[in-house]
Amino acid sequence: MSADARIKEMAPSQDTTVQDKDVDATNSNSQPSAKDWVNFSQWMHCFCVVTFDLNLGQALEHVYPPEFMPSDQEVSNICYMAFPDSNSGCMGDTKFHMRLRCTSRRESLPAYNAECSPALRQDGSHYWGFVYFRQKRDANLPRGYFQKSFIIITRLPFFNLYYDILSQLAPRYFEEGTEVLRLASEQINRQWPGLRVGNTLQLPLLECSYQISIPRTSSSRKSAAEGTASSGESSPALVACPAAKVLTSVNEIELFRSLDFVMEQLYTLWELVITGEPVVVVGTSPADCSHMVQTLLALIAPLEYCAEARPYFTIHDSEFREFTQECTSKTTLPACILGVTNPFFVKLLKDWPHMLRLVDNQKNMQQQQHLLMSQKHARNIASATSFSSSTEFVGRSIKASTGLNGSSNNGSGDASSSGLHSKYRPYLKKDKALIKKVLLGMKTKRPEHVQTALIRRHLLELTQSFMIPLERYMASLMPLQKDISPFKSAPNASSFKLDDFLATLETAGPQLTSPLKGDWKGLYRRFFRSPNFRGWYEARHRELQLTLQDLQLQALSEANLEHWAHDKQEVEIIDMILKLKQKLNLYGEKATQLEGINGTQQQIRAQIECMKGLLPPDLKNVVNL
């Protein structure tokens, strides 16, 4: 079915999905209230089931728990993205994921987000949707096909965990119905521990159990006793499900699966992602697109990607106009990475400078079958000499059809072939040794996870080499200790000046830790204009300011205020008391979570009592101290 025909057929569903909401919410009074799903809501928002209705198009069939029904706009986005945009080749089961914006921002878990790495944070403004789409022939249905999607809606980017849960729950739902959702939801709510960082967590689910650990972003400050207590809470799950499936990482996907055909452009892709360039990923399957987009974001780890990313994007998305606006002299292209399957986007996004076309697996299979048949035919009719020539020709044809090295960077070649199509000229020269090592691994059938580990470690070292000079310069913006006075406001960190930073690269640049050669300064200038720099700088600047406030609080706790007050007016002493109380209130919540702060708080309270003792009793009563 053409894209235009599908738009017309599915259009009514956007106006009628509200009716679907009433189907599952009719008897919601007998269900627990939203407050009873507190533990469940830490891990998931809800389960959704989307079906294809002959009259409505893609329509929401079921939501569980019904208390977490998405908004009308969210329902519309979920329904449209729950099915492949061109599903003619997606027979059987297909798994992919999407990311959609929340209509109302929900406060995330601050304690969890402060302790985990940026890649694992709970997102307060977006949902992740993990989709299990099933399409099979069914002569009993009017259209001759069974089409339905089972979706996990969550705020956590735990790709490995939720894809595994999809594989367990979705087939059982298709066979047994909604009772599976109720049992799974209640078990998650009752038996899963709270979302915690740094502990081994046991997650029982039906007849299975998962064992995961969410790493801290830095060394743990929790006491050993607390860690032991947390382990004790999850021990019942171990007894109930002794054969737990251990997930070594909840979010790190296999990079090599998506990068095998563009290894020659690996460093160009790294530069495009770290500088926030607009990239459109074009494929024939939402599974391939969503995996590639997530792979691109992982290239710059541990740096957080702060621009927009949509692993799977359709023309029906509510943000369609925002991301596909035409580039004019007054507007610039959005900094985002989009994964699309509809060929319409190729024409629509013609102004986008970087297009990554994925290998068409279905087309490749047909080509290889045709080549194998040609080879078999040649083997039957040709002599040994002619067979050798034919085999050489077939080998060249297979290599050309798979597009091992992708398209050239300068944009030449067939625009419909797989690979990176871009006129971007990279600032750095690629490490040919790594590429040769990976390509050799492809010939020797090296396991995919080994190839991924090799690529991940190399890119991690590259990103760290790039960020270390920035971190070092940022630390130099911190005021000197002697400038922090207990009797003055906390000083501010100096502002970031690009020219001053670039001047430090001669003696402390990335060339000290990275073997790559090239125009590092040009790359930093481009990075300076990107959302990734703004996100990184704002986070680091915030940390510096909090550190300065903490240092001033410590200086106040250690100052000899009694000596300071001996020649001060009573109004100045009162002002100091109010200042000390304000500091306690402002940093009280943060202070209880950090080591060594409780002692500082006690010292500040002692300072307050000391100041009170210097005031006459009648004045204390007047100012209510």
Side-chain angles (χ1 to χ4, degrees):
M1 184 183 294
S2 66
D4 293 339
R6 291 183 68 242
I7 294 172
K8 293 178 181 178
E9 185 171 354
M10 294 188 298
S13 65
Q14 186 168 358
D15 299 325
T16 56
T17 47
V18 180
Q19 298 175 2
D20 300 318
K21 182 190 302 184
D22 299 331
V23 173
D24 292 314
T26 50
N27 297 321
S28 61
N29 291 334
S30 61
Q31 301 290 341
S33 65
K35 294 181 180 179
D36 295 325
W37 294 98
V38 172
N39 207 44
F40 174 88
S41 63
Q42 289 188 31
W43 294 92
M44 302 178 190
H45 183 69
C46 65
F47 295 109
C48 293
V49 178
V50 175
T51 188
F52 190 91
D53 185 279
L54 194 59
N55 298 318
L56 303 177
Q58 289 159 219
L60 186 65
E61 183 178 71
H62 195 76
V63 173
Y64 201 90
E67 291 78 15
F68 295 103
M69 172 68 70
S71 68
D72 293 345
Q73 183 63 73
E74 292 163 354
V75 167
S76 176
N77 284 336
I78 290 170
C79 287
Y80 280 128
M81 289 193 287
F83 284 19
D85 216 4
S86 0
N87 57 34
S88 57
C90 294
M91 292 299 293
D93 296 343
T94 304
K95 291 185 290 184
F96 60 95
H97 66 275
M98 58 187 175
R99 186 169 180 258
L100 57 146
R101 192 174 293 170
C102 306
T103 53
S104 59
R105 184 179 179 88
R106 172 188 163 189
E107 185 178 357
S108 55
L109 300 175
Y112 166 79
N113 282 355
E115 293 179 350
C116 70
S117 66
L120 295 171
R121 286 175 185 161
Q122 191 182 56
D123 196 337
S125 58
H126 291 81
Y127 289 123
W128 293 95
F130 295 85
V131 184
Y132 193 108
F133 169 70
R134 172 168 289 184
Q135 176 173 258
K136 62 181 182 180
R137 295 184 183 276
D138 190 337
N140 297 322
L141 296 178
R143 299 179 73 246
Y145 285 95
F146 172 89
Q147 294 175 313
K148 189 169 289 191
S149 284
F150 177 94
I151 311 158
I152 298 174
I153 303 295
T154 178
R155 296 177 184 270
L156 296 169
F158 294 174
F159 308 106
N160 295 335
L161 175 64
Y162 290 122
Y163 270 125
D164 209 293
I165 292 175
L166 265 186
S167 298
Q168 182 185 175
L169 291 184
R172 289 193 59 170
Y173 168 79
F174 291 134
E175 295 296 328
E176 303 174 22
T178 57
E179 181 68 10
V180 173
L181 302 186
R182 185 187 66 80
L183 292 175
S185 299
E186 291 180 356
Q187 186 178 22
I188 292 170
N189 196 47
R190 290 196 316 267
Q191 299 184 26
W192 283 27
L195 198 58
R196 294 194 300 271
V197 177
N199 297 326
T200 298
L201 305 178
Q202 298 291 343
L203 312 177
L205 188 63
L206 303 182
E207 292 81 20
C208 180
S209 178
Y210 298 97
Q211 180 177 300
I212 68 169
S213 179
I214 305 171
R216 294 186 183 278
T217 187
S218 58
S219 59
S220 173
R221 295 185 178 183
K222 301 283 186 179
S223 64
E226 185 177 345
T228 304
S230 299
S231 300
E233 291 176 8
S234 59
S235 58
L238 279 172
V239 176
C241 304
K245 182 173 183 178
V246 180
L247 299 181
T248 55
S249 172
V250 293
N251 72 311
E252 291 184 346
I253 60 176
E254 292 288 351
L255 304 182
F256 182 70
R257 170 185 153 188
S258 290
L259 296 176
D260 58 348
F261 75 104
V262 284
M263 278 305 302
E264 291 286 353
Q265 282 75 43
L266 178 65
Y267 294 94
T268 301
L269 291 171
W270 180 83
E271 288 190 21
L272 294 178
V273 177
I274 205 168
T275 56
E277 286 288 305
V279 179
V280 57
V281 176
V282 183
T284 56
S285 163
D288 294 338
C289 280
S290 59
H291 194 276
M292 174 57 88
V293 171
Q294 219 56 53
T295 297
L296 292 178
L297 302 187
L299 296 183
I300 62 172
L303 179 66
E304 181 181 8
Y305 182 79
C306 298
E308 286 284 0
R310 293 294 182 272
Y312 176 54
F313 191 74
T314 74
I315 58 177
H316 306 286
D317 196 292
S318 60
E319 301 160 45
F320 176 78
R321 291 183 179 274
E322 176 184 342
F323 290 141
T324 61
Q325 59 182 347
E326 187 176 354
C327 182
T328 64
S329 57
K330 296 182 179 180
T331 62
T332 57
L333 291 173
C336 64
I337 301 177
L338 299 181
V340 302
T341 59
N342 194 325
F344 174 68
F345 280 102
V346 177
K347 295 181 179 179
L348 181 66
L349 304 180
K350 60 183 184 301
D351 292 330
W352 282 42
H354 319 293
M355 180 176 292
L356 181 57
R357 279 188 172 272
L358 306 185
V359 174
D360 188 340
N361 292 324
Q362 185 180 10
K363 183 178 179 181
N364 270 352
M365 289 177 62
Q366 295 173 351
Q367 288 179 346
Q368 290 184 18
Q369 288 175 357
H370 176 72
L371 290 170
L372 288 173
M373 291 177 63
S374 300
Q375 184 177 351
K376 183 178 179 180
H377 180 68
R379 196 162 47 236
N380 293 334
I381 65 174
S383 64
T385 305
S386 62
F387 168 74
S388 177
S389 301
S390 175
T391 304
E392 183 180 353
F393 170 74
V394 170
R396 289 198 303 268
S397 301
I398 291 177
K399 184 176 180 181
S401 68
T402 55
L404 178 63
N405 294 331
S407 180
S408 60
N409 264 4
N410 58 13
S412 62
D414 183 8
S416 63
S417 62
S418 62
L420 177 64
H421 299 269
S422 171
K423 294 182 180 180
Y424 179 87
R425 299 185 64 181
Y427 290 90
L428 306 180
K429 296 179 180 179
K430 55 190 174 185
D431 186 347
K432 294 182 179 179
L434 171 75
I435 296 174
K436 287 181 180 179
K437 192 172 184 179
V438 174
L439 295 181
L440 178 62
M442 295 171 67
K443 293 180 180 179
T444 58
K445 306 298 182 182
R446 184 184 294 149
E448 186 176 276
H449 70 276
V450 179
Q451 296 277 66
T452 292
L454 181 65
I455 296 171
R456 192 188 302 278
R457 183 176 68 250
H458 184 83
L459 293 176
L460 173 65
E461 293 172 354
L462 175 59
T463 303
Q464 288 177 334
S465 295
F466 183 80
M467 296 306 298
I468 285 173
L470 288 161
E471 297 282 1
R472 186 184 295 116
Y473 175 75
M474 199 70 188
S476 71
L477 303 180
M478 186 85 164
L480 300 175
Q481 185 79 28
K482 63 183 181 65
D483 296 330
I484 301 175
S485 170
F487 310 114
K488 297 179 182 178
S489 299
N492 293 321
S494 303
S495 58
F496 191 103
K497 296 180 180 178
L498 179 60
D499 291 337
D500 291 349
F501 164 70
L502 295 177
T504 67
L505 297 181
E506 297 295 334
T507 57
Q511 71 276 3
L512 300 179
T513 54
S514 175
L516 269 64
K517 307 296 182 183
D519 184 9
W520 286 99
K521 288 186 178 181
L523 184 59
Y524 278 116
R525 287 190 180 95
R526 199 176 187 103
F527 174 72
F528 183 76
R529 300 190 297 269
S530 73
N532 292 331
F533 171 79
R534 289 194 294 272
W536 169 83
Y537 174 74
E538 289 170 2
R540 291 296 181 269
H541 188 268
R542 204 161 42 241
E543 291 175 5
L544 284 185
Q545 292 300 119
L546 290 175
T547 300
L548 289 171
Q549 298 286 358
D550 291 340
L551 290 174
Q552 196 203 29
L553 190 67
Q554 185 178 355
L556 276 170
S557 68
E558 297 172 353
N560 189 347
L561 295 185
E562 188 173 4
H563 176 74
W564 167 83
H566 80 278
D567 60 346
K568 296 296 186 292
Q569 299 292 327
E570 291 174 345
V571 65
E572 294 178 276
I573 295 175
I574 293 174
D575 185 62
M576 175 59 74
I577 293 174
L578 296 176
K579 180 181 178 181
L580 291 172
K581 284 193 170 185
Q582 182 184 24
K583 292 287 184 183
L584 278 180
N585 295 334
L586 188 60
Y587 299 102
E589 183 178 349
K590 176 191 172 186
T592 57
Q593 301 174 0
L594 301 178
E595 287 182 349
I597 300 295
N598 286 335
T600 302
Q601 283 185 302
Q602 293 174 0
Q603 288 178 310
I604 292 291
R605 292 192 180 96
Q607 296 278 38
I608 292 175
E609 294 303 320
C610 177
M611 292 292 97
K612 285 182 180 180
L614 301 177
L615 294 175
D618 56 338
L619 188 56
K620 290 182 188 178
N621 297 331
V622 170
V623 297
N624 193 25
L625 293 175

